[in-house]
Amino acid sequence: MASVPVPSASNPMRPVLPNRGVATVKSVLSGDTVVLLGRATSTDTKAPEVVFTFERVTAPRTASKGNDNKDEPGAFPAREWLRKTCVGKSVCFETRKQGATAGDRVYGLLFISPSNGDGKQLNLAVEAVRLGHATPKTIGASNDGESQENDGGDGETDPAVEYQNLLNNAYEEAKAAGVGVHSKSQLVRSMKNSVEDFATLSLVEKSQKLCENGAVKCVVEHVFDGSRLRCLVTDPAMTSDGLIYGSFTLIIAGVSSPRVGNPKSNVESEPFADEARQFVEVRLLNRELRISLHGTDKSETCAVGTVHHPKGNIAVELLKRGLGRVTDWTVRLMNPMDVPALRVAENNAKRTNLKVWHDYEPPKLSGAAEIQGTVVEILTGDTVLILPDGETFDDDSKLKKVSLASVRCPRLGNERTGKPDEPYAFECKERLRSLTIGKSVRVTVNYERDVPMGESSDMRQFGTISVGKRDDIGETLIADGLAESQRHRDDDEKSARYDILVAAEVRDRMKDG
C-alpha cells in the first residue's frame, strides 16, 4: 500500500507527533489502540509516550471495571493479535488527527515490516479488519467532499478515499471468510481478580502442579514499579481449574525496587523509582512469559515469583544497575541455586556506588577482620570467648567475644527472673561446646553491632567461625536443627555465607517433613 498523505492540521499549535515518524510500540491497549514510545532527549528525561488509535477503525472493547470485567465478543483475540504483531517493535506512524496537548489521543495509521522480510509494509489497521479483529467505522462510504478538496484538480485518487476503499475490501474479505468478529463462535472473556475471585495461594499451588516445568504462562499487563507487576494468566493448562484469564499482582522474587509515587495522594516517587519502572516496562510490559510462582506475601494477596525471560533474569539486571536491593524474605522462597547471581549483582553495585547505593559505605570494623585463636568458653548457643594466638591469658580483656553471624540460636533462660530456656537452648550450647571448646578456630568478622547489656551496651563482633574441616559452625548448628538463620532487614550487613545458611535451614525443614 502506498503511503497515505496526512491532511493539514486544523489546529495551528505544534502537533503532539510529527506528520510521519518512527516509534516503538510500548504496549497494546485494545485491538485498535497502542501506546507509542519515543526517544528520550537526554538520560535525565523520560521518553515521551502517546496513545495512538487507528483512524476510521473500531475494535471490540476489552474487559474493564466499566463493563463488569467482561469482554465484548472477540475483544481479547483482537488485542492479542495486535500485541503479538507489534509490541516492542519499531513501527512507522502517520498522524491523521490529534489534539493540542500531549495528553490527547492521536489518530492515524501504523505500518510494520512483515516477518517474511518481503519489504512491503503492512497497514495494521487494514490488516486488523482483514482478519476480523476490527471493523470500519463507516462501511461502504467514501468522503467525496474531502476528495474534491484534496485532489488539487489533477484527477489523482484522494488518499483518504483510497484508505476507506482498502478498509471496505478488507471488511468484505473478513465477512466472506467468517473470521474474527464475523465468526459464529467468539471468545467472550470474563476477567477474574486474585483475592476477590480466587485465592492467590491456590494459583501458586496449581501452577506448580499443572503447568509445564511448574511455570505458568502470563502476559505482563502493568508495571507498578521495578519489582511489582500485574499479570494475566494465559496458560491453557489453567483452564480446567478456572484460572485462565486470572489477573494477579506479582512481586519479583529476590529484588525490591524503589516505590513509584502517587500524584493523587501527593506521594513522591523514591529516588530512581521511575528509572527502574521504565527499565522493566521496556523489557517486560505486554510480553507473554513463563513465571515460576514460589509463594505469596504474608497477607496472601500478592504472588512471589521469578520471571523467565529469554535474555536473562530481570531481578539480576535491576540489581546489577543499582535499581533495587535484594529482599531476603523473597529470597527464602526461591531455589537456592538462583540466589548467588543476585548477591553478586548487588555486591558489584554496592562496590561501585550505583544508583540506590550512591551513598553506601562498607562496614568499618573496630578490630581485626580476621581472628585466629582458641575457644576458651561457651557463653550461649551462638557466642564464644576466644583467646587469640600469641596472647597469654592474664586478664579477661585479652579474650575476644564473638557471636555467629546471621545465626539465631535458642535463648537461655534467666534464673533470677524465672524465665525458662527456649526449646533446645541447652542442646545448642552443648553442641557448640563439643565442636569448638579448646580447639583452634578461625573467625572471619562480617559486622559489628552494639548489643544492649542492661543499662550499658557491648560492641559485639559477629563472624563466621570455622574449625577443622567445618567451614561454618553456624551452618552445622542450623543443619542439626538447633538454630535458624537470622531474619535481617534488607539494608543490614549479614554473613558472607548467608544464603548457604538459609539453604541449610530449608534442607533441615524438608528433612523433618
Side-chain angles (χ1 to χ4, degrees):
M1 173 187 170
S3 177
V4 179
V6 181
S8 301
S10 58
N11 194 311
M13 297 181 66
R14 185 180 66 84
V16 177
L17 288 179
N19 287 346
R20 293 177 178 82
V22 176
T24 300
V25 177
K26 175 184 175 181
S27 62
V28 175
L29 304 182
S30 66
D32 59 10
T33 301
V34 303
V35 176
L36 294 182
L37 184 67
R39 184 175 297 176
T41 56
S42 69
T43 56
D44 298 328
T45 59
K46 187 179 178 181
E49 298 177 9
V50 66
V51 178
F52 194 99
T53 298
F54 296 154
E55 173 73 351
R56 299 188 181 185
V57 166
T58 183
R61 299 299 93 186
T62 54
S64 66
K65 290 183 178 179
N67 57 9
D68 296 325
N69 288 327
K70 193 172 183 179
D71 284 338
E72 293 182 359
F76 188 66
R79 201 289 297 259
E80 284 298 276
W81 170 79
L82 189 57
R83 181 188 66 79
K84 293 175 181 178
T85 301
C86 65
V87 74
K89 296 179 183 178
S90 180
V91 294
C92 298
F93 64 82
E94 292 185 3
T95 57
R96 301 298 301 271
K97 182 171 62 177
Q98 58 184 317
T101 64
D104 291 337
R105 184 180 298 250
V106 176
Y107 293 85
L109 310 178
L110 287 183
F111 302 91
I112 190 170
S113 299
S115 57
N116 58 20
D118 64 3
K120 184 178 180 181
Q121 288 193 319
L122 289 177
N123 183 323
L124 289 176
V126 174
E127 198 65 18
V129 173
R130 191 189 316 281
L131 295 173
H133 296 313
T135 56
K137 288 184 176 179
T138 56
I139 300 171
S142 61
N143 192 333
D144 294 333
E146 187 177 344
S147 174
Q148 294 173 3
E149 179 182 343
N150 293 329
D151 64 13
D154 55 7
E156 294 184 2
T157 304
D158 181 359
V161 174
E162 181 183 358
Y163 173 53
Q164 183 64 50
N165 290 336
L166 286 169
L167 292 178
N168 291 339
N169 293 338
Y171 177 74
E172 294 300 328
E173 286 184 36
K175 277 185 65 178
V179 295
V181 297
H182 309 290
S183 64
K184 294 181 180 179
S185 60
Q186 300 177 40
L187 172 65
V188 177
R189 178 188 58 146
S190 293
M191 287 278 290
K192 308 177 188 71
N193 294 309
S194 62
V195 181
E196 296 175 8
D197 301 312
F198 62 89
T200 307
L201 183 59
S202 173
L203 171 67
V204 173
E205 293 172 344
K206 289 177 180 178
S207 70
Q208 294 171 345
K209 179 181 178 181
L210 300 174
C211 298
E212 181 181 347
N213 297 322
V216 61
K217 191 182 295 183
C218 299
V219 173
V220 178
E221 295 286 315
H222 183 71
V223 178
F224 297 105
D225 56 44
S227 54
R228 290 187 305 138
L229 316 173
R230 192 70 181 175
C231 301
L232 179 73
V233 177
T234 57
D235 200 319
M238 303 296 278
T239 304
S240 60
D241 285 88
L243 294 174
I244 188 76
Y245 308 131
S247 178
F248 67 97
T249 299
L250 175 75
I251 297 173
I252 299 178
V255 65
S256 176
S257 289
R259 289 298 182 94
V260 174
N262 186 349
K264 294 181 180 179
S265 304
N266 294 321
V267 177
E268 295 186 359
S269 295
E270 296 177 357
F272 309 106
D274 293 329
E275 185 177 350
R277 178 169 69 174
Q278 186 174 357
F279 180 85
V280 174
E281 282 180 336
V282 169
R283 290 157 178 80
L284 299 189
L285 183 60
N286 262 197
R287 272 56 164 200
E288 187 174 51
L289 301 163
R290 288 203 173 270
I291 301 174
S292 293
L293 300 180
H294 309 308
T296 69
D297 60 358
K298 285 185 178 180
S299 64
E300 296 188 0
T301 301
C302 304
V304 179
T306 298
V307 180
H308 300 288
H309 192 283
K311 294 188 177 179
N313 187 334
I314 192 69
V316 173
E317 297 304 317
L318 285 166
L319 294 168
K320 189 185 299 182
R321 290 163 175 78
L323 294 174
R325 305 170 188 266
V326 172
T327 49
D328 290 323
W329 75 268
T330 60
V331 162
R332 289 175 177 272
L333 301 175
M334 297 174 63
N335 184 333
M337 299 298 292
D338 297 332
V339 177
L342 302 177
R343 298 291 184 195
V344 170
E346 183 184 60
N347 289 336
N348 287 339
K350 280 184 175 181
R351 190 175 61 252
T352 53
N353 295 109
L354 282 176
K355 309 293 183 182
V356 299
W357 301 107
H358 63 94
D359 57 355
Y360 170 76
E361 294 182 2
K364 296 178 181 179
L365 302 177
S366 60
E370 187 171 291
I371 302 170
Q372 288 189 324
T374 303
V375 175
V376 297
E377 186 176 350
I378 309 299
L379 300 179
T380 67
D382 58 11
T383 303
V384 299
L385 290 179
I386 299 174
L387 179 65
D389 290 346
E391 294 283 355
T392 301
F393 178 71
D394 53 15
D395 189 85
D396 287 345
S397 63
K398 296 289 183 69
L399 301 178
K400 300 291 185 182
K401 183 186 290 188
V402 177
S403 293
L404 297 173
S406 301
V407 174
R408 188 196 183 282
C409 294
R411 298 289 179 252
L412 294 169
N414 189 318
E415 292 183 2
R416 289 182 301 172
T417 61
K419 183 179 180 181
D421 290 351
E422 292 181 0
Y424 300 104
F426 176 76
E427 290 85 349
C428 183
K429 181 178 179 181
E430 286 303 300
R431 178 61 169 150
L432 182 61
R433 184 192 310 278
S434 67
L435 291 170
T436 62
I437 193 70
K439 296 179 181 179
S440 177
V441 299
R442 183 178 70 256
V443 180
T444 302
V445 180
N446 300 124
Y447 54 88
E448 294 178 343
R449 295 271 166 79
D450 207 16
V451 180
M453 301 288 290
E455 297 181 358
S456 60
S457 62
D458 175 27
M459 181 58 72
R460 183 85 53 81
Q461 292 180 312
F462 291 78
T464 300
I465 300 178
S466 58
V467 54
K469 295 182 178 180
R470 300 182 187 274
D471 294 328
D472 189 348
I473 294 300
E475 181 185 357
T476 301
L477 295 176
I478 291 174
D480 290 345
L482 298 173
E484 298 176 329
S485 56
Q486 185 72 46
R487 267 65 172 173
H488 289 285
R489 294 179 305 191
D490 291 341
D491 55 351
D492 281 348
E493 296 297 333
K494 51 184 71 71
S495 168
R497 294 171 51 85
Y498 183 72
D499 297 316
I500 297 175
L501 298 178
V502 172
E505 183 177 345
V506 171
R507 287 194 299 271
D508 178 64
R509 288 181 176 177
M510 292 177 64
K511 179 178 63 179
D512 294 340

